[in-house]
Amino acid sequence: MSRSVPADHAGQHGFTVHTRGRGFTEITDKVADVVAASGVQLGIAHVFTAHTSCSLLLSENADPTVREDLERWLARAVPDGDAIFRHDAEGPDDMPAHVRAVLTGVSLVVPVHGGKPQLGTWQGLFLWEHRRDPHQRKVTVTVLGH
């Protein structure tokens, strides 16, 4: 069932995600394009965003109300303008965006098989913007394998 193969190939490519402000942008197809272009048939794809106020998420991609519910839950857990936060240099959503990114993470690792990311039927990859205003976010995908 399983076999070991050397990771004799690596590829890396970045892309920019233009967000519309707080919310989700699906990046599944962009990551799949990077994996396909790498030539790796069996391995892993590491997806990373070098920002402190957005995150990456592997979640349900069929029903958008799942992501709406996640946003509402996180807004309750880490509200904008909470008096507990002293860091507000860029506004009331500044520190909450940092906390949200720490809680949800800035990287993902996805297995690659047959030259494609191996995701479940209802799974998608998303960049989750935690700031209210639109931003340009950089995502780097590193593919390792055979």
Side-chain angles (χ1 to χ4, degrees):
M1 287 196 174
S2 65
R3 63 185 179 130
S4 296
V5 295
D8 60 0
H9 187 75
Q12 187 175 76
H13 183 72
F15 56 86
T16 301
V17 177
H18 302 274
T19 73
R20 289 182 247 149
R22 186 169 284 165
F24 296 87
T25 302
E26 187 162 7
I27 61 170
T28 307
D29 290 343
K30 289 183 178 183
V31 171
D33 289 346
V34 172
V35 169
S38 76
V40 170
Q41 293 298 303
L42 180 66
I44 60 169
H46 178 262
V47 187
F48 173 76
T49 185
H51 299 281
T52 61
S53 54
C54 68
S55 56
L56 297 171
L57 187 73
L58 192 153
S59 185
E60 159 94 41
N61 69 347
D63 185 349
T65 62
V66 170
R67 294 180 301 282
E68 293 166 9
D69 288 346
L70 285 169
E71 183 61 56
R72 279 192 297 278
W73 182 87
L74 200 54
R76 181 186 296 169
V78 189
D80 290 343
D82 193 317
I84 195 172
F85 300 130
R86 291 175 37 199
H87 177 77
D88 62 359
E90 296 177 18
D93 67 336
D94 193 1
M95 188 61 202
H98 296 309
V99 173
R100 291 166 175 230
V102 167
L103 292 175
T104 53
V106 296
S107 69
L108 300 168
V109 176
V110 179
V112 171
H113 184 80
K116 299 177 185 175
Q118 291 301 285
L119 299 173
T121 302
W122 307 113
Q123 289 181 322
L125 303 170
F126 297 88
L127 184 131
W128 192 354
E129 177 63 63
H130 299 303
R131 298 301 305 267
R132 290 181 186 164
D133 292 333
H135 284 80
Q136 291 185 30
R137 303 301 193 175
K138 297 195 182 313
V139 175
T140 302
V141 181
T142 305
V143 188
L144 303 170
H146 179 72

